[in-house]
Amino acid sequence: MSGETSASNTASIGSYLRNNIREYGLLVALVVIMVFFQVITQGVLFRPVNITNLVLQNSFIVIMALGMLLIIVAGHIDLSVGSIVAFIGGLSAIMLVKWGLHFSIVVPICLILGGVAGAMQGYWVAYQKIPSFIVTLAGMLVFRGLTYLVLQNRPIGPFPKDFQLLSTGFVPDLLSFANPAPTVVTNFFALVVVVALVIAAVYFGLKKRRTNELHGSENEPMVFFALQMAIIGAVAIFIGFQLSTYRGFPNVLVVMALLIALYTFITNRSTIGRRIYALGGNEKATKLSGINTERLTFYAFVNMGVLAALAGMIIAARLNSATPKAGVGFELDVIAACFIGGASASGGVGKITGAVIGAFIMGVMNNGMSIMGLGIDYQQLVKGLVLLAAVFFDVYNKNKG
């Protein structure tokens, strides 16, 4: 009897692993890539300063990947985000440097203008049924041209110090009075927050498992849950400790974390999130069920425009200058992050966590190869092969299923 139970559990674990191989494979791939570059770079990758730079260099990719994932899940694509980044960055420079407006006025205005830029494209895609590839390709050219007009082909800067804090500032140590080792940990607050978040993740994970059991829903095998929590917890605490020995949390990391939490809630728990997945899965069936698919598509592009505007201001603040060439090629990195993270090119499939992991896989590879001294030619070659492999893996699993 025990032999039958053991065989049944083994079969159950094997079946679960096959059905969720992409999700666990991504997590394992990220850890393997991080360990590989940590060894190859002789420990440089995980130095506190380099981890901070890694966050600053990839925050805008992660932020835009959140919006791009919704676009791809809905069955569309947006090639204009890099140009919107440059355009909004240029407008923020004009308002801050030339007009002398306060950043508290400029930031919401730029977010609204980003939403307007997304709405202009969303209208043609949603209501005029023009393919998103064509509309956003046109948008990429239009907004890049507007950037050159706004900046008159020259960079504008520097920005006021308070605006720069958006990208270069750090959360102060609010628990310095309780720091037991001030000579080692320079920002005790960062370490405490990371440990608390790991404990909270384990608690809510266990709570979700109990809820699923009460409702008769399937749970992932306990061994996978424990392994996943152990890996995520160990990596999070290690990175948190490294950051705490430098300057703590960058402001942009806090913004990024809040957005990840918000969009995870939207995609998993909200009505509009479920409808976007339904739209990408089968647009005709979704429309016949009474859902306004045009409005959903329109909102997805507006949302993408707002996030691209936020990314544009973060990049401008980090560079302390708005340049006409800002954002060139960013759309490719953002789209690649979503596809590497498990989004399907045919729509209806993709997770926020996958897009974030995909973005960090790209970021760690970029950073690691730069530390190794590899030229841009080899970096582009490697990124292209990784993207192709990720999409092939997705197609292969679908055909096999």
Side-chain angles (χ1 to χ4, degrees):
M1 189 73 174
S2 60
E4 292 179 1
T5 303
S6 176
S8 175
N9 290 337
T10 303
S12 175
I13 291 174
S15 174
Y16 186 87
L17 181 60
R18 284 192 299 271
N19 293 334
N20 297 271
I21 189 170
R22 186 62 183 268
E23 182 176 346
Y24 289 104
L26 272 176
L27 186 60
V28 171
L30 177 59
V31 173
V32 169
I33 290 171
M34 291 167 70
V35 171
F36 171 77
F37 281 112
Q38 173 72 352
V39 173
I40 292 295
T41 61
Q42 299 179 345
V44 174
L45 182 71
F46 283 150
R47 286 180 182 171
V49 175
N50 194 62
I51 292 177
T52 301
N53 288 334
L54 193 61
V55 171
L56 296 177
Q57 290 167 2
N58 294 281
S59 58
F60 52 87
I61 299 295
V62 174
I63 288 171
M64 288 192 286
L66 301 177
M68 186 64 73
L69 179 72
L70 297 184
I71 295 282
I72 293 173
V73 165
H76 301 288
I77 203 74
D78 191 344
L79 302 177
S80 68
V81 291
S83 297
I84 294 177
V85 161
F87 178 56
I88 297 299
L91 289 178
S92 67
I94 294 294
M95 287 186 276
L96 287 164
V97 179
K98 298 291 186 182
W99 298 351
L101 297 179
H102 194 264
F103 82 97
S104 61
I105 299 174
V106 172
V107 170
I109 289 176
C110 286
L111 293 177
I112 292 171
L113 291 174
V116 171
M120 291 168 58
Q121 299 182 112
Y123 168 78
W124 295 105
V125 176
Y127 296 104
Q128 299 302 322
K129 305 301 180 184
I130 300 176
S132 58
F133 182 90
I134 302 300
V135 172
T136 57
L137 178 60
M140 179 175 70
L141 300 174
V142 168
F143 290 116
R144 183 63 63 180
L146 288 174
T147 303
Y148 286 123
L149 288 174
V150 166
L151 296 178
Q152 296 181 347
N153 289 335
R154 62 175 182 269
I156 295 179
F159 289 110
K161 293 293 183 182
D162 48 9
F163 181 75
Q164 292 181 47
L165 291 177
L166 175 65
S167 187
T168 61
F170 289 80
V171 178
D173 187 3
L174 304 177
L175 297 175
S176 58
F177 60 89
N179 191 345
T183 57
V184 178
V185 178
T186 56
N187 194 309
F188 188 56
F189 176 72
L191 183 58
V192 170
V193 169
V194 170
V195 173
L197 288 175
V198 170
I199 294 172
V202 174
Y203 170 77
F204 285 111
L206 292 172
K207 184 178 180 182
K208 182 181 178 182
R209 290 178 64 85
R210 286 196 296 269
T211 303
N212 289 342
E213 288 174 2
L214 290 174
H215 291 85
S217 301
E218 182 185 6
N219 269 323
E220 62 183 335
M222 189 62 186
V223 62
F224 285 114
F225 173 78
L227 186 61
Q228 185 179 11
M229 288 294 104
I231 293 174
I232 293 175
V235 171
I237 291 174
F238 173 75
I239 292 176
F241 175 76
Q242 293 294 85
L243 290 175
S244 71
T245 61
Y246 182 50
R247 298 179 64 185
F249 294 138
N251 290 340
V252 73
L253 177 61
V254 177
V255 173
M256 184 174 68
L258 291 175
L259 287 174
I260 291 172
L262 173 62
Y263 280 83
T264 299
F265 175 81
I266 290 173
T267 54
N268 292 339
R269 299 299 182 93
S270 72
T271 301
I272 191 171
R274 294 189 180 96
R275 287 179 175 179
I276 288 175
Y277 279 91
L279 168 63
N282 191 324
E283 183 177 359
K284 290 184 178 179
T286 304
K287 192 172 184 64
L288 289 173
S289 67
I291 295 173
N292 190 330
T293 56
E294 290 83 5
R295 187 191 303 166
L296 280 178
T297 299
F298 180 77
Y299 286 163
F301 278 93
V302 171
N303 173 72
M304 184 71 255
V306 172
L307 292 179
L310 176 59
M313 288 185 284
I314 289 173
I315 294 167
R318 180 168 180 265
L319 297 176
N320 199 20
S321 175
T323 65
K325 292 291 185 180
V328 173
F330 283 2
E331 60 278 346
L332 302 181
D333 283 342
V334 174
I335 293 169
C338 293
F339 284 136
I340 290 172
S344 173
S346 56
V349 177
K351 290 184 176 181
I352 292 296
T353 51
V356 173
I357 292 174
F360 275 109
I361 286 176
M362 296 284 289
V364 170
M365 287 195 305
N366 284 337
N367 189 269
M369 289 187 290
S370 296
I371 295 172
M372 292 170 59
L374 289 180
I376 190 67
D377 45 0
Y378 286 105
Q379 292 187 32
Q380 297 291 347
L381 173 64
V382 171
K383 287 195 293 184
L385 291 175
V386 169
L387 175 59
L388 181 61
V391 176
F392 169 77
F393 188 72
D394 177 61
V395 173
Y396 173 78
N397 280 339
K398 280 188 175 179
N399 292 337
K400 190 176 180 180

